Amino acid sequence: MSNDALIAVKPEIAAHALVNAERFRAMTEAAARDPEGFWKQEASRIAWITPPTKIKNVDFNGDVAIRWYEDGVLNASVSCLDRHLATKGDQVAILWEGDNPNSDARVTYKDLHAKVCRLANALRKLGVKKGDRVCIYLPMIVEAAVAMLACARVGAIHSIVFGGFSPDSLASRIQDSACSVLITADEGRRGGRTVPLKANADDALATCPSISHVIVVKNTGGQVAMQAGRDHWYEAITTGEPAECPPEPMGAEDPLFILYTSGSTGKPKGVLHTTGGYMVWASYTHELVFDYRPGEIYWCTADVGWVTGHTYIVYGPLANGATTLMFEGVPNYPSVSRFWEVVDKHQVNIFYTAPTAIRALMRDGEAPVKKANRKSLRILGSVGEPINPEAWLWYYRTVGDERCPIVDTWWQTETGGILISPLPGAIAQKPGSATLPLPGVKPALVDAEGKILEGVAEGNLVLLDSWPGQMRTIYGDHARFGQTYFSTFKGMYFTGDGARRDADGYYWITGRVDDVINVSGHRMGTAEIESALVAHPKVAEAAVVGMPHELKGQGIYCYVTLKTGEEPTEALRKELVAWVRKEIGPIASPDAIQWAPGLPKTRSGKIMRRILRKIAANETDSLGDTSTLADPAVVEELVANRVG
Ligand code: 6R9
């Protein structure tokens, strides 16, 4: 796809868009000229108990301090609920679609407010107070959003753990932030199968002494063990609670949530977001990027266990008074038409999904899409990984009938919300490019030394200045925060991504430049998978790299060195795959395991991952410089016995 393959903004879209090209320019200029004034103005999109007078207080150097709206006081749940009650009380806030196509539910703003208040009151009765950490391990049911907002209501910091994570992964996240309450369900449902959440939680809690109460939603009705004194049925502790609950006044910089994400080293990091700036960012980006209009049905297919679910299923849409569709199921159950059937059933206007889902659905051709009407669709979004031009064009032509602009939204758990994306009424699209930064966002490309590259260039993607939705710290480890994000290039936030910029100033994200791999849009640290592998009694050493994968974007390729005397059998290979699934969760299942009698190392003992990536990608004729290898024979052996 050439850089010039511009798909212009259609005049009929520009004519009605919230932001057209002219307004985009004006906003970008205003944000550059007077950032404080611009962000002060945008703060008024959410509800404040005390509006802020101090807008920005940021230092990317030294200990790194990021503060926005620091003297403002608010409660996030009020922005999402209370302030809509007078005008939108009977409007559907959450439109829930079950895994089973015959089950759905409509929760109005009034209903949602009452549910949140009941749970918030119950949490207070269990002793939960401002600043306490509450872990949420729930499937995609309405109670997941209720739990988030109930935590926000009482000032507790929620930490959601994706339902696909293993007991060990759940336990380490609970331990890291010393959560006192866990909210879970008997079981989840996905694609016609059940997920044993409560049983997993019980396993995890054996090593989590900080948890004093567990709240269990009866979802499937499956049999679960309940521990007297510790475990409470959700229904039992919320029924009878008042449908009103005074919101805890929170400073703008008081934490709203922690969300664990994988990095290139060590254990997952607890990314911490605070209240004021995050809420402004969630509302600002949801409205601008999706050109959201009152009354529209908006559907983001993510899981609330990921940041996309936080910002674009719950906080952004609800802050903007939207109807947000929450889907319990998967794209291919009961059939590969499911997404489009749901679009027609609920007359979805805005649809936001991941490239991995699009690539999977592409394989089944046009027919499953075309049999649905899809006329309600107006905007299509993509998130999670670079979208290849072929998938982009299929999405545009087959799903959107060339009517719907595509917003390819680049952002990260750390950024809180979208930073680079076309605005549908303002910016011409190029398939595969996330295009331009939103007004107020200052990306740059730097070389390995941190020198800023101008014009057409390729390099490391950094942000030169802060935006209100930026993460504030790594929970419990501010030094690691500075080290991870602000030490590679001094005074700049380093994203870990590489990108190039074309002659139109458009950004093309090329993927991670660190040891993080992106599997179906889920971030995995190669170090995490390696430590799971070496925890197996028969494994001596392991190196994990990403490999190109047609559907997942990247697959997980593992080089495993066994302990002396252990036999590399097919049974052991299967055992290791199952082991990693058990240690981390099914999303970390290795796609390939190659037995490696030795790993390519430098003379100082560093594993040369560059070479391992090349072998995994089957690019063995371009291994690059191998002169620093301690033992070149190791590479020949690996090339000869490549898997797949
Ligand atoms: C929101 C989310 C972040 C990483 C990020 C980048 C990749 C996300 C992208 C994209 C290209 C896009 N990524 N969106 N790459 N184009 N539109 O996915 O957060 O799970 O933290 O992942 O995902 O590599 O650095 P998170």
Side-chain angles (χ1 to χ4, degrees):
M1 180 63 50
S2 101
N3 285 351
D4 303 315
L6 269 183
I7 298 179
V9 178
K10 292 193 164 64
E12 63 272 23
I13 292 171
H16 300 286
L18 288 171
V19 179
N20 58 18
E22 209 175 307
R23 179 144 166 68
F24 175 72
R25 261 194 307 275
M27 287 177 80
T28 302
E29 275 165 29
R33 195 175 52 241
D34 174 18
E36 300 247 346
F38 184 82
W39 292 118
K40 182 172 184 167
Q41 169 94 33
E42 289 299 334
S44 65
R45 51 175 55 256
I46 61 168
W48 296 89
I49 299 167
T50 311
T53 62
K54 294 188 185 160
I55 304 306
K56 181 186 175 200
N57 182 2
V58 172
D59 187 357
F60 278 1
N61 291 290
D63 290 339
V64 184
I66 301 167
R67 295 186 202 99
W68 285 89
Y69 309 122
E70 58 188 302
D71 63 348
V73 179
L74 76 164
N75 183 288
S77 76
V78 173
S79 277
C80 293
L81 301 169
D82 304 59
R83 65 164 171 161
H84 303 312
L85 292 181
T87 50
K88 294 183 171 175
D90 296 320
Q91 183 200 300
V92 176
I94 299 179
L95 180 49
W96 180 80
E97 170 77 13
D99 187 48
N100 177 333
N102 300 318
S103 55
D104 56 25
R106 284 163 183 76
V107 183
T108 66
Y109 272 96
K110 220 187 267 169
D111 300 335
L112 186 60
H113 176 264
K115 282 177 192 287
V116 167
C117 287
R118 289 202 173 93
L119 179 58
N121 286 322
L123 287 171
R124 278 201 175 127
K125 272 199 185 152
L126 294 178
V128 175
K129 36 179 213 320
K130 179 173 171 176
D132 290 352
R133 277 80 57 217
V134 171
C135 180
I136 300 175
Y137 185 59
L138 282 172
M140 285 291 288
I141 55 178
V142 171
E143 286 79 0
V146 173
M148 294 164 77
L149 293 165
C151 287
R153 190 89 179 168
V154 303
I157 308 168
H158 59 72
S159 166
I160 307 190
V161 177
F162 174 57
F165 276 121
S166 67
D168 280 357
S169 299
L170 174 61
S172 65
R173 285 159 173 78
I174 291 173
Q175 290 158 4
D176 184 76
S177 46
C179 297
S180 59
V181 171
L182 170 67
I183 306 178
T184 187
D186 49 6
E187 296 173 322
R189 274 195 196 88
R190 261 172 82 84
R193 287 198 288 266
T194 57
V195 186
L197 295 174
K198 177 62 164 67
N200 285 350
D202 285 336
D203 274 5
L205 294 189
T207 57
C208 297
S210 63
I211 294 279
S212 42
H213 296 283
V214 180
I215 301 175
V216 186
V217 178
K218 189 171 274 200
N219 184 41
T220 62
Q223 276 295 313
V224 293
M226 294 291 278
Q227 186 176 309
R230 186 193 71 177
D231 299 352
H232 315 269
W233 288 109
Y234 177 97
E235 185 70 20
I237 61 158
T238 55
T239 310
E241 286 299 330
E244 296 288 338
C245 173
E248 191 72 30
M250 304 294 284
E253 285 299 339
D254 284 335
L256 180 61
F257 66 85
I258 300 166
L259 182 57
Y260 287 86
T261 191
S262 298
S264 50
T265 54
K267 57 182 180 147
K269 305 177 284 249
V271 169
L272 185 107
H273 283 285
T274 57
T275 309
Y278 172 82
M279 287 302 295
V280 170
W281 201 253
S283 165
Y284 174 74
T285 54
H286 173 261
E287 186 179 34
L288 262 65
V289 172
F290 300 105
D291 192 36
Y292 185 79
R293 316 296 169 71
E296 285 193 314
I297 311 293
Y298 161 89
W299 181 16
C300 165
T301 68
D303 189 286
V304 293
W306 310 112
V307 74
T308 307
H310 283 62
T311 310
Y312 298 111
I313 295 177
V314 179
Y315 288 112
L318 296 180
N320 291 340
T323 295
T324 181
L325 194 152
M326 191 172 177
F327 179 44
E328 187 185 28
V330 294
N332 58 356
Y333 176 82
S335 82
V336 291
S337 284
R338 185 69 193 277
F339 272 177
W340 326 118
E341 283 162 4
V342 175
V343 165
D344 281 1
K345 175 180 174 186
H346 296 298
Q347 291 294 292
V348 171
N349 305 111
I350 300 164
F351 178 74
Y352 189 30
T353 197
T356 185
I358 297 168
R359 287 193 300 267
L361 294 172
M362 255 172 95
R363 281 196 311 180
D364 295 295
E366 294 200 351
V369 186
K370 295 293 180 193
K371 75 186 213 210
N373 169 292
R374 293 163 287 113
K375 287 283 184 291
S376 59
L377 288 175
R378 193 167 72 77
I379 306 241
L380 301 174
S382 171
V383 61
E385 53 176 314
I387 178 164
N388 46 309
E390 297 70 30
W392 195 103
L393 287 166
W394 188 83
Y395 198 23
Y396 185 65
R397 292 177 181 147
T398 304
V399 177
D401 296 328
E402 297 187 29
R403 261 185 319 107
C404 308
I406 293 189
V407 289
D408 173 2
T409 63
W410 176 84
W411 60 294
Q412 312 178 293
T413 305
E414 294 88 338
T415 70
I418 297 163
L419 295 192
I420 303 180
S421 168
L423 299 189
I427 294 162
Q429 305 157 91
K430 294 183 191 183
S433 169
T435 77
L436 298 171
L438 299 191
V441 174
K442 285 193 208 147
L445 300 177
V446 298
D447 67 12
E449 278 72 51
K451 188 168 88 60
I452 295 181
L453 307 169
E454 307 289 345
V456 175
E458 176 153 4
N460 300 296
L461 181 65
V462 298
L463 277 308
L464 298 179
D465 201 351
S466 186
W467 61 99
Q470 184 170 25
M471 77 182 281
R472 302 300 196 255
T473 192
I474 292 174
Y475 186 81
D477 198 349
H478 194 66
R480 188 176 174 201
F481 176 59
Q483 174 63 32
T484 306
Y485 301 105
F486 299 92
S487 71
T488 317
F489 306 113
K490 269 206 82 51
M492 304 172 189
Y493 167 79
F494 178 39
T495 63
D497 279 332
R500 74 190 163 80
R501 192 173 45 225
D502 69 19
D504 294 320
Y506 277 34
Y507 286 86
W508 300 72
I509 312 297
T510 49
R512 304 288 306 196
V513 295
D514 54 12
D515 289 322
V516 171
I517 52 182
N518 192 324
V519 182
S520 300
H522 301 320
R523 267 166 75 166
M524 301 293 324
T526 51
E528 272 170 84
I529 306 171
E530 287 163 6
S531 58
L533 283 167
V534 296
H536 188 281
K538 294 185 179 167
V539 174
E541 196 171 27
V544 173
V545 296
M547 64 168 185
H549 189 287
E550 206 190 324
L551 294 181
K552 301 179 181 179
Q554 282 189 298
I556 301 173
Y557 195 106
C558 311
Y559 297 87
V560 172
T561 308
L562 294 174
K563 288 189 180 154
T564 314
E566 298 297 345
E567 280 299 310
T569 62
E570 180 57 20
L572 180 56
R573 200 191 58 78
K574 289 206 175 107
E575 187 181 319
L576 290 180
V577 171
W579 173 267
V580 176
R581 288 174 68 95
K582 185 185 81 57
E583 290 277 306
I584 303 175
I587 55 169
S589 293
D591 294 282
I593 291 186
Q594 174 169 2
W595 304 118
L599 291 169
K601 291 184 182 167
T602 61
R603 281 176 206 102
S604 61
K606 279 206 186 71
I607 295 177
M608 293 181 75
R609 294 169 173 283
R610 179 174 55 78
I611 292 177
L612 293 176
R613 280 190 213 108
K614 289 277 185 189
I615 298 173
N618 205 7
E619 291 168 7
T620 46
D621 46 0
S622 59
L623 290 180
D625 180 13
T626 52
S627 62
T628 53
L629 273 171
D631 178 5
V634 166
V635 173
E636 284 156 36
E637 201 284 339
L638 291 179
V639 169
N641 294 303
R642 192 183 162 269
V643 188

